[in-house]
Amino acid sequence: MSAIAVAVVSLALLTLAAGAAYLYLDRTSGVRRTGVEDCVALLPAGADPRDAEAVRATLDALTGAWAAGDADAYGEQFTEDATYTTYVGTHYEGRADITESHRALFAGFVKGTEPAATYLGLRFLGADVAVVTGRGDIHKGRRPAALSKVQTYTLVRGSDGGWRIAAFHNTRRRNVMERFSFLYAPATVPSGER
């Protein structure tokens, strides 16, 4: 066999091995803690259930506005000075910026999509601040079985008593990298995933 043929065969075998390793990591990276459908179910001890219901109403209004493609109703769920960070790293500042960017998104890239969400945590940081963490995704048609994003909402109670989102952060889950990290350094596995 010539040196070129050996190099080609070696490259093909390395590519096949890398592909198999990637598929293995991808297939074994399942999330155990997938969340619950209703954030109120995560009500911490001592918290006022009415506050949890109000937070849920804000999040429900947000997902309803997305499903309807209504940028104005979507933007209304945020404070005037809210921040919004997308999973690709785009950072918006202020309700107007969030509303106008979603007006363009609802007319283009995400037109006709619906949000899907589950919730991992609900905490109240005092009487007027709540933090909700969860998993989310958007879809057309059937809801995905596994949600690919991790989301954090920081909500505040306004002077009118209503809850609005002051900050939103959306991170795409990189399951292969996560699985590799967990195999290489098992102590990095979150306790909820053990």
Side-chain angles (χ1 to χ4, degrees):
M1 216 188 241
S2 74
I4 292 176
V6 168
V8 168
V9 168
S10 296
L11 181 60
L13 289 173
L14 283 172
T15 301
L16 184 61
Y22 181 90
L23 289 174
Y24 167 77
L25 292 170
D26 187 48
R27 300 250 190 269
T28 61
S29 67
V31 171
R32 291 188 180 128
R33 190 168 172 233
T34 58
V36 297
E37 296 293 322
D38 183 358
C39 69
V40 174
L42 301 168
L43 184 67
D48 187 336
R50 293 172 298 183
D51 288 335
E53 292 287 345
V55 165
R56 175 178 54 193
T58 299
L59 297 176
D60 287 350
L62 184 75
T63 58
W66 182 294
D70 186 339
D72 294 314
Y74 191 81
E76 274 303 309
Q77 305 315 308
F78 293 87
T79 62
E80 285 291 334
D81 62 349
T83 59
Y84 190 106
T85 305
T86 71
Y87 79 92
V88 296
T90 306
H91 181 75
Y92 297 101
E93 293 185 15
R95 179 187 291 158
D97 202 18
I98 294 165
T99 301
E100 292 313 310
S101 65
H102 282 79
R103 189 179 319 284
L105 288 169
F106 294 155
F109 294 127
V110 300
K111 184 177 184 174
T113 61
E114 292 182 50
T118 60
Y119 300 100
L120 299 168
L122 168 63
R123 295 181 297 144
F124 288 93
L125 309 176
D128 299 324
V129 179
V131 176
V132 177
T133 54
R135 300 195 188 281
D137 222 325
I138 57 172
H139 61 94
K140 284 186 179 182
R142 198 158 92 183
R143 177 187 167 116
L147 304 180
S148 67
K149 298 171 188 158
V150 179
Q151 302 172 326
T152 303
Y153 303 84
T154 303
L155 297 96
V156 296
R157 185 192 326 259
S159 58
D160 64 355
W163 289 83
R164 296 286 178 264
I165 301 164
F168 172 74
H169 190 94
N170 194 13
T171 301
R172 186 159 192 97
R173 182 172 172 261
R174 300 290 182 196
N175 56 338
V176 171
M177 292 304 297
E178 181 181 68
R179 179 70 172 131
F180 180 76
S181 173
F182 293 171
L183 288 172
Y184 180 72
T188 63
V189 178
S191 61
E193 294 293 320
R194 293 184 189 145

